[in-house]
Amino acid sequence: MSTAVAPVRPGQVLADLLPASRVRDIALVVGGAALTGLAAQISVPVPGSPVPVTGQTFAALLVGTTLGAGRGFLSLALYAIAGVAGMPWFAGATSGSAAPSFGYILGMILASTVVGALARRGADRSVLRTAGAMLLGEAIIYGVGVPYLAVATGMSASAAVAAGLTPFLLGDALKAALAMGLLPSAWKLIKR
């Protein structure tokens, strides 16, 4: 039995370089959900906002790009379903779907799928393409999360943007910069 890393082919994501098996895919999906749950525990309250700054969005986008669209979707769907079922791994060790920030979790499922599909097209192999994929992923998360926040809290659209988008832009730029360094570097290391 060989444990060698498979050669890099077009259309692959980083996870595809591991020996293929159903066990691998299950482990990657569960691992991606667990990583997102752990990253959600890095949670800093934002004054005036019911939405904290977390590592959750970075993890969700990283899961999508490294696992691909299908496994990324399954991973974030598992994360959401387990959290709704009572697993305390949403931000601040919470669970359930009643939180005003639950829309961001729904957005993460979609964003993980989209960035995973883009990664299959090589969006994670250069700094600029990774930046574009991360920014699109963040836009999707906010595109679902901010309107959900407005509806869940009764905020106006402008108040929801002020509470659920504006305070997070700098942190998200830093997360995107981290991904821009990590993902292309991983591909360069593999190609050696």
Side-chain angles (χ1 to χ4, degrees):
M1 175 195 265
S2 173
T3 59
V5 174
V8 177
R9 295 184 320 265
Q12 288 185 308
V13 292
L14 287 167
D16 293 333
L17 301 177
L18 298 171
S21 75
R22 189 174 302 238
V23 172
R24 172 203 69 176
D25 290 339
I26 291 168
L28 289 171
V29 166
V30 171
L35 174 67
T36 307
L38 286 172
Q41 303 319 303
I42 302 168
S43 179
V44 179
V46 175
S49 176
V51 181
V53 171
T54 69
Q56 182 179 24
T57 54
F58 177 71
L61 296 174
L62 192 62
V63 165
T65 53
T66 58
L67 300 187
R71 289 179 298 233
F73 169 82
L74 291 173
S75 207
L76 271 292
L78 174 62
Y79 170 70
I81 291 166
V84 168
M87 177 82 132
W89 63 357
F90 291 161
T94 61
S95 63
S97 60
S101 60
F102 187 70
Y104 296 93
I105 294 168
L106 297 175
M108 286 177 217
I109 297 169
L110 180 57
S112 180
T113 305
V114 170
V115 298
L118 292 173
R120 287 224 179 266
R121 292 168 179 82
D124 60 341
R125 297 190 189 192
S126 75
V127 171
L128 289 177
R129 290 165 66 175
T130 301
M134 294 297 115
L135 292 174
L136 178 60
E138 290 288 352
I140 291 168
I141 293 168
Y142 288 122
V144 177
V146 172
Y148 188 100
L149 176 65
V151 170
T153 62
M155 290 181 182
S156 67
S158 62
V161 167
L165 170 67
T166 307
F168 304 96
L169 294 176
L170 178 60
D172 286 339
L174 293 172
K175 293 173 197 175
L178 182 58
M180 289 176 351
L182 284 175
L183 295 167
S185 296
W187 279 108
K188 285 180 185 172
L189 286 171
I190 289 168
K191 288 182 181 180
R192 285 186 184 173

PDB file of all heavy atoms in Angstrom, residues 4 8 26 34 45-46 61 64 67-68 70 81 83 91 102 112 125 131 133 135 138 144 154 157 159 161 173 189-190:
ATOM      1  N   ALA A   4       2.067   7.633  -0.957  1.00  0.00           N
ATOM      2  CA  ALA A   4       2.662   8.751  -1.677  1.00  0.00           C
ATOM      3  C   ALA A   4       1.584   9.728  -2.118  1.00  0.00           C
ATOM      4  O   ALA A   4       0.453   9.368  -2.374  1.00  0.00           O
ATOM      5  CB  ALA A   4       3.416   8.235  -2.903  1.00  0.00           C
ATOM      6  N   VAL A   8       0.176  16.304  -9.218  1.00  0.00           N
ATOM      7  CA  VAL A   8      -0.751  17.418  -9.394  1.00  0.00           C
ATOM      8  C   VAL A   8      -1.286  17.413 -10.819  1.00  0.00           C
ATOM      9  O   VAL A   8      -0.528  17.330 -11.781  1.00  0.00           O
ATOM     10  CB  VAL A   8      -0.042  18.760  -9.087  1.00  0.00           C
ATOM     11  CG1 VAL A   8      -0.984  19.917  -9.339  1.00  0.00           C
ATOM     12  CG2 VAL A   8       0.471  18.779  -7.662  1.00  0.00           C
ATOM     13  N   ILE A  26     -14.704  11.287   4.004  1.00  0.00           N
ATOM     14  CA  ILE A  26     -15.462  11.443   5.251  1.00  0.00           C
ATOM     15  C   ILE A  26     -14.616  12.173   6.286  1.00  0.00           C
ATOM     16  O   ILE A  26     -15.088  13.100   6.955  1.00  0.00           O
ATOM     17  CB  ILE A  26     -15.948  10.077   5.778  1.00  0.00           C
ATOM     18  CG1 ILE A  26     -17.015   9.512   4.839  1.00  0.00           C
ATOM     19  CG2 ILE A  26     -16.488  10.197   7.209  1.00  0.00           C
ATOM     20  CD1 ILE A  26     -17.366   8.056   5.098  1.00  0.00           C
ATOM     21  N   ALA A  34     -15.152  20.384  11.962  1.00  0.00           N
ATOM     22  CA  ALA A  34     -14.513  20.574  13.267  1.00  0.00           C
ATOM     23  C   ALA A  34     -13.598  21.794  13.276  1.00  0.00           C
ATOM     24  O   ALA A  34     -13.588  22.565  14.241  1.00  0.00           O
ATOM     25  CB  ALA A  34     -13.731  19.321  13.653  1.00  0.00           C
ATOM     26  N   PRO A  45     -16.324  40.014  20.888  1.00  0.00           N
ATOM     27  CA  PRO A  45     -17.540  40.827  20.736  1.00  0.00           C
ATOM     28  C   PRO A  45     -17.225  42.174  20.071  1.00  0.00           C
ATOM     29  O   PRO A  45     -16.154  42.748  20.273  1.00  0.00           O
ATOM     30  CB  PRO A  45     -18.019  41.046  22.175  1.00  0.00           C
ATOM     31  CG  PRO A  45     -17.296  40.050  23.002  1.00  0.00           C
ATOM     32  CD  PRO A  45     -16.022  39.716  22.277  1.00  0.00           C
ATOM     33  N   VAL A  46     -18.167  42.661  19.290  1.00  0.00           N
ATOM     34  CA  VAL A  46     -18.053  43.956  18.642  1.00  0.00           C
ATOM     35  C   VAL A  46     -19.087  44.874  19.290  1.00  0.00           C
ATOM     36  O   VAL A  46     -20.284  44.576  19.233  1.00  0.00           O
ATOM     37  CB  VAL A  46     -18.310  43.845  17.117  1.00  0.00           C
ATOM     38  CG1 VAL A  46     -18.312  45.211  16.462  1.00  0.00           C
ATOM     39  CG2 VAL A  46     -17.276  42.939  16.473  1.00  0.00           C
ATOM     40  N   LEU A  61     -13.877  29.506   4.446  1.00  0.00           N
ATOM     41  CA  LEU A  61     -13.313  29.738   3.111  1.00  0.00           C
ATOM     42  C   LEU A  61     -12.096  28.846   2.862  1.00  0.00           C
ATOM     43  O   LEU A  61     -11.901  28.352   1.751  1.00  0.00           O
ATOM     44  CB  LEU A  61     -12.965  31.213   2.934  1.00  0.00           C
ATOM     45  CG  LEU A  61     -14.173  32.162   2.970  1.00  0.00           C
ATOM     46  CD1 LEU A  61     -13.720  33.615   2.925  1.00  0.00           C
ATOM     47  CD2 LEU A  61     -15.152  31.854   1.867  1.00  0.00           C
ATOM     48  N   GLY A  64     -13.421  25.381   2.030  1.00  0.00           N
ATOM     49  CA  GLY A  64     -13.915  25.324   0.657  1.00  0.00           C
ATOM     50  C   GLY A  64     -12.805  25.237  -0.367  1.00  0.00           C
ATOM     51  O   GLY A  64     -12.850  24.406  -1.272  1.00  0.00           O
ATOM     52  N   LEU A  67     -10.814  21.744   0.132  1.00  0.00           N
ATOM     53  CA  LEU A  67     -11.571  20.510  -0.067  1.00  0.00           C
ATOM     54  C   LEU A  67     -12.315  20.468  -1.394  1.00  0.00           C
ATOM     55  O   LEU A  67     -12.682  19.385  -1.851  1.00  0.00           O
ATOM     56  CB  LEU A  67     -12.568  20.296   1.070  1.00  0.00           C
ATOM     57  CG  LEU A  67     -12.022  20.180   2.487  1.00  0.00           C
ATOM     58  CD1 LEU A  67     -13.126  19.804   3.450  1.00  0.00           C
ATOM     59  CD2 LEU A  67     -10.869  19.209   2.573  1.00  0.00           C
ATOM     60  N   GLY A  68     -12.571  21.613  -1.991  1.00  0.00           N
ATOM     61  CA  GLY A  68     -13.362  21.659  -3.216  1.00  0.00           C
ATOM     62  C   GLY A  68     -14.830  21.891  -2.901  1.00  0.00           C
ATOM     63  O   GLY A  68     -15.261  21.841  -1.743  1.00  0.00           O
ATOM     64  N   GLY A  70     -17.783  20.224  -3.469  1.00  0.00           N
ATOM     65  CA  GLY A  70     -18.633  19.186  -2.885  1.00  0.00           C
ATOM     66  C   GLY A  70     -18.322  18.919  -1.429  1.00  0.00           C
ATOM     67  O   GLY A  70     -19.212  18.955  -0.568  1.00  0.00           O
ATOM     68  N   ILE A  81     -25.706  21.914  10.560  1.00  0.00           N
ATOM     69  CA  ILE A  81     -26.702  20.959  11.075  1.00  0.00           C
ATOM     70  C   ILE A  81     -26.368  20.545  12.499  1.00  0.00           C
ATOM     71  O   ILE A  81     -27.249  20.501  13.369  1.00  0.00           O
ATOM     72  CB  ILE A  81     -26.813  19.735  10.136  1.00  0.00           C
ATOM     73  CG1 ILE A  81     -27.463  20.157   8.810  1.00  0.00           C
ATOM     74  CG2 ILE A  81     -27.588  18.601  10.795  1.00  0.00           C
ATOM     75  CD1 ILE A  81     -27.328  19.126   7.696  1.00  0.00           C
ATOM     76  N   GLY A  83     -24.638  22.218  14.669  1.00  0.00           N
ATOM     77  CA  GLY A  83     -24.865  23.377  15.537  1.00  0.00           C
ATOM     78  C   GLY A  83     -26.332  23.626  15.818  1.00  0.00           C
ATOM     79  O   GLY A  83     -26.721  23.942  16.947  1.00  0.00           O
ATOM     80  N   ALA A  91     -20.116  30.527  17.269  1.00  0.00           N
ATOM     81  CA  ALA A  91     -19.337  31.545  17.983  1.00  0.00           C
ATOM     82  C   ALA A  91     -19.723  31.598  19.456  1.00  0.00           C
ATOM     83  O   ALA A  91     -20.905  31.601  19.793  1.00  0.00           O
ATOM     84  CB  ALA A  91     -19.532  32.901  17.337  1.00  0.00           C
ATOM     85  N   PHE A 102     -27.013  33.740  12.538  1.00  0.00           N
ATOM     86  CA  PHE A 102     -27.126  32.450  11.847  1.00  0.00           C
ATOM     87  C   PHE A 102     -27.089  32.601  10.325  1.00  0.00           C
ATOM     88  O   PHE A 102     -26.645  31.699   9.621  1.00  0.00           O
ATOM     89  CB  PHE A 102     -28.398  31.704  12.281  1.00  0.00           C
ATOM     90  CG  PHE A 102     -28.473  30.308  11.735  1.00  0.00           C
ATOM     91  CD1 PHE A 102     -27.614  29.329  12.194  1.00  0.00           C
ATOM     92  CD2 PHE A 102     -29.382  29.978  10.744  1.00  0.00           C
ATOM     93  CE1 PHE A 102     -27.656  28.033  11.687  1.00  0.00           C
ATOM     94  CE2 PHE A 102     -29.444  28.691  10.219  1.00  0.00           C
ATOM     95  CZ  PHE A 102     -28.575  27.719  10.698  1.00  0.00           C
ATOM     96  N   SER A 112     -18.412  28.550   0.813  1.00  0.00           N
ATOM     97  CA  SER A 112     -17.471  27.430   0.772  1.00  0.00           C
ATOM     98  C   SER A 112     -17.611  26.665  -0.535  1.00  0.00           C
ATOM     99  O   SER A 112     -16.618  26.251  -1.151  1.00  0.00           O
ATOM    100  CB  SER A 112     -17.723  26.508   1.968  1.00  0.00           C
ATOM    101  OG  SER A 112     -16.843  25.422   1.959  1.00  0.00           O
ATOM    102  N   ARG A 125      -4.115  29.209  -6.576  1.00  0.00           N
ATOM    103  CA  ARG A 125      -2.709  28.948  -6.922  1.00  0.00           C
ATOM    104  C   ARG A 125      -1.872  30.197  -7.128  1.00  0.00           C
ATOM    105  O   ARG A 125      -0.666  30.101  -7.315  1.00  0.00           O
ATOM    106  CB  ARG A 125      -2.650  28.055  -8.150  1.00  0.00           C
ATOM    107  CG  ARG A 125      -3.299  26.716  -7.829  1.00  0.00           C
ATOM    108  CD  ARG A 125      -3.087  25.696  -8.851  1.00  0.00           C
ATOM    109  NE  ARG A 125      -3.921  24.540  -8.569  1.00  0.00           N
ATOM    110  CZ  ARG A 125      -3.805  23.394  -9.162  1.00  0.00           C
ATOM    111  NH1 ARG A 125      -2.890  23.226 -10.091  1.00  0.00           N
ATOM    112  NH2 ARG A 125      -4.595  22.402  -8.845  1.00  0.00           N
ATOM    113  N   ALA A 131      -6.927  36.099  -3.785  1.00  0.00           N
ATOM    114  CA  ALA A 131      -7.577  37.303  -3.253  1.00  0.00           C
ATOM    115  C   ALA A 131      -8.975  37.453  -3.828  1.00  0.00           C
ATOM    116  O   ALA A 131      -9.938  37.722  -3.100  1.00  0.00           O
ATOM    117  CB  ALA A 131      -6.737  38.536  -3.578  1.00  0.00           C
ATOM    118  N   ALA A 133     -10.947  35.105  -5.047  1.00  0.00           N
ATOM    119  CA  ALA A 133     -11.829  34.049  -4.526  1.00  0.00           C
ATOM    120  C   ALA A 133     -12.251  34.357  -3.090  1.00  0.00           C
ATOM    121  O   ALA A 133     -13.426  34.200  -2.738  1.00  0.00           O
ATOM    122  CB  ALA A 133     -11.133  32.695  -4.593  1.00  0.00           C
ATOM    123  N   LEU A 135     -12.376  37.316  -1.590  1.00  0.00           N
ATOM    124  CA  LEU A 135     -13.276  38.469  -1.574  1.00  0.00           C
ATOM    125  C   LEU A 135     -14.682  38.086  -2.032  1.00  0.00           C
ATOM    126  O   LEU A 135     -15.672  38.534  -1.457  1.00  0.00           O
ATOM    127  CB  LEU A 135     -12.705  39.597  -2.426  1.00  0.00           C
ATOM    128  CG  LEU A 135     -11.435  40.244  -1.864  1.00  0.00           C
ATOM    129  CD1 LEU A 135     -10.864  41.262  -2.845  1.00  0.00           C
ATOM    130  CD2 LEU A 135     -11.702  40.884  -0.512  1.00  0.00           C
ATOM    131  N   GLU A 138     -16.281  36.185   0.850  1.00  0.00           N
ATOM    132  CA  GLU A 138     -16.723  37.116   1.898  1.00  0.00           C
ATOM    133  C   GLU A 138     -17.990  37.848   1.470  1.00  0.00           C
ATOM    134  O   GLU A 138     -18.912  38.032   2.259  1.00  0.00           O
ATOM    135  CB  GLU A 138     -15.613  38.130   2.219  1.00  0.00           C
ATOM    136  CG  GLU A 138     -14.417  37.536   2.931  1.00  0.00           C
ATOM    137  CD  GLU A 138     -14.671  37.149   4.376  1.00  0.00           C
ATOM    138  OE1 GLU A 138     -15.753  37.458   4.930  1.00  0.00           O
ATOM    139  OE2 GLU A 138     -13.786  36.518   4.972  1.00  0.00           O
ATOM    140  N   VAL A 144     -25.685  37.064   2.417  1.00  0.00           N
ATOM    141  CA  VAL A 144     -26.716  36.279   3.104  1.00  0.00           C
ATOM    142  C   VAL A 144     -26.848  36.745   4.556  1.00  0.00           C
ATOM    143  O   VAL A 144     -27.955  36.916   5.075  1.00  0.00           O
ATOM    144  CB  VAL A 144     -26.399  34.762   3.052  1.00  0.00           C
ATOM    145  CG1 VAL A 144     -27.424  33.953   3.834  1.00  0.00           C
ATOM    146  CG2 VAL A 144     -26.318  34.284   1.606  1.00  0.00           C
ATOM    147  N   GLY A 154     -34.899  43.086  13.248  1.00  0.00           N
ATOM    148  CA  GLY A 154     -35.770  44.210  12.940  1.00  0.00           C
ATOM    149  C   GLY A 154     -35.010  45.481  12.600  1.00  0.00           C
ATOM    150  O   GLY A 154     -35.582  46.568  12.562  1.00  0.00           O
ATOM    151  N   ALA A 157     -31.969  48.269   6.863  1.00  0.00           N
ATOM    152  CA  ALA A 157     -30.857  47.783   6.043  1.00  0.00           C
ATOM    153  C   ALA A 157     -29.576  48.532   6.377  1.00  0.00           C
ATOM    154  O   ALA A 157     -28.505  47.922   6.511  1.00  0.00           O
ATOM    155  CB  ALA A 157     -31.202  47.932   4.562  1.00  0.00           C
ATOM    156  N   ALA A 159     -28.778  50.042   9.192  1.00  0.00           N
ATOM    157  CA  ALA A 159     -28.324  49.654  10.535  1.00  0.00           C
ATOM    158  C   ALA A 159     -27.682  48.267  10.502  1.00  0.00           C
ATOM    159  O   ALA A 159     -26.672  48.024  11.182  1.00  0.00           O
ATOM    160  CB  ALA A 159     -29.485  49.677  11.521  1.00  0.00           C
ATOM    161  N   VAL A 161     -26.125  46.922   7.944  1.00  0.00           N
ATOM    162  CA  VAL A 161     -24.807  47.094   7.316  1.00  0.00           C
ATOM    163  C   VAL A 161     -23.825  47.669   8.328  1.00  0.00           C
ATOM    164  O   VAL A 161     -22.678  47.216   8.435  1.00  0.00           O
ATOM    165  CB  VAL A 161     -24.905  47.982   6.052  1.00  0.00           C
ATOM    166  CG1 VAL A 161     -23.525  48.426   5.577  1.00  0.00           C
ATOM    167  CG2 VAL A 161     -25.641  47.239   4.938  1.00  0.00           C
ATOM    168  N   ALA A 173     -10.136  41.669   5.513  1.00  0.00           N
ATOM    169  CA  ALA A 173      -9.002  41.948   4.622  1.00  0.00           C
ATOM    170  C   ALA A 173      -7.752  41.226   5.132  1.00  0.00           C
ATOM    171  O   ALA A 173      -6.982  40.665   4.342  1.00  0.00           O
ATOM    172  CB  ALA A 173      -8.759  43.451   4.527  1.00  0.00           C
ATOM    173  N   LEU A 189       4.990  24.542  -2.567  1.00  0.00           N
ATOM    174  CA  LEU A 189       5.706  23.496  -1.842  1.00  0.00           C
ATOM    175  C   LEU A 189       5.442  22.117  -2.437  1.00  0.00           C
ATOM    176  O   LEU A 189       6.338  21.281  -2.543  1.00  0.00           O
ATOM    177  CB  LEU A 189       5.305  23.495  -0.362  1.00  0.00           C
ATOM    178  CG  LEU A 189       5.872  24.621   0.482  1.00  0.00           C
ATOM    179  CD1 LEU A 189       5.224  24.617   1.856  1.00  0.00           C
ATOM    180  CD2 LEU A 189       7.374  24.482   0.602  1.00  0.00           C
ATOM    181  N   ILE A 190       4.215  21.866  -2.836  1.00  0.00           N
ATOM    182  CA  ILE A 190       3.840  20.566  -3.395  1.00  0.00           C
ATOM    183  C   ILE A 190       4.508  20.336  -4.733  1.00  0.00           C
ATOM    184  O   ILE A 190       4.911  19.223  -5.060  1.00  0.00           O
ATOM    185  CB  ILE A 190       2.312  20.468  -3.501  1.00  0.00           C
ATOM    186  CG1 ILE A 190       1.730  20.344  -2.092  1.00  0.00           C
ATOM    187  CG2 ILE A 190       1.893  19.295  -4.370  1.00  0.00           C
ATOM    188  CD1 ILE A 190       0.243  20.536  -2.032  1.00  0.00           C
TER     189      ILE A 190
END
